[in-house]
């Protein structure tokens, strides 16, 4: 399923849009850092570190969604969304 990573990352992009985030951070395996750098203009923030219960070390990356959003969507139109879609996903119910 080669498109699965793009589909699963869509939720993070939509959440950033909905909540007005400037930066998205993620802990990713070392072998995935290049993918995020290429596809999302990510910056590696630290060298890989081991984490308890995980087999492979993780690096922290950041994506400047405020700066790069339009370029990311131009590359991956799948990340475009409407405010209605984002509200359905993230708006809190009033009780």
């Amino acid at each position: 399923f080669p498109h699965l990573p793009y589909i699963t990352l869509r939720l993070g992009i939509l959440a950033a849009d909905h909540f007005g985030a400037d930066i998205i951070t993620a802990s990713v395996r070392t072998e995935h850092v290049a993918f995020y750098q290429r596809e999302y203009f990510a910056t590696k923030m630290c060298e890989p570190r081991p984490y308890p219960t995980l087999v492979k070390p993780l690096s922290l990356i950041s994506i400047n969604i405020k700066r790069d959003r339009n370029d990311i969507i131009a590359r991956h139109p799948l990340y475009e969304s409407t405010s209605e879609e984002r509200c359905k996903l993230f708006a809190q119910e009033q009780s």
Side-chain angles (χ1 to χ4, degrees):
F1 304 108
H3 299 294
L4 190 59
Y6 299 98
I7 294 167
T8 59
L9 291 168
R10 185 173 190 266
L11 190 59
I13 303 287
L14 269 61
D17 280 348
H18 182 76
F19 295 106
D22 294 339
I23 303 289
I24 298 172
T25 60
S27 298
V28 300
R29 289 171 37 173
T30 304
E31 59 269 26
H32 296 168
V33 170
F35 166 79
Y36 286 93
Q37 290 172 328
R38 183 180 64 250
E39 299 295 325
Y40 303 99
F41 313 104
T43 303
K44 185 165 75 167
M45 299 179 69
C46 73
E47 292 304 313
R49 299 178 185 180
Y51 287 87
T53 72
L54 298 179
V55 175
K56 295 192 175 194
L58 301 178
S59 290
L60 180 65
I61 62 160
S62 68
I63 300 167
N64 188 329
I65 195 67
K66 183 177 182 178
R67 180 192 66 209
D68 296 326
R69 180 187 182 280
N70 291 337
D71 291 333
I72 292 169
I73 290 176
R75 180 177 282 177
H76 306 289
L78 144 82
Y79 295 134
E80 189 66 73
S81 64
T82 64
S83 60
E84 180 182 9
E85 178 185 14
R86 293 187 303 271
C87 283
K88 285 181 179 179
L89 284 168
F90 302 112
Q92 294 181 347
E93 293 287 327
Q94 300 295 322
S95 31

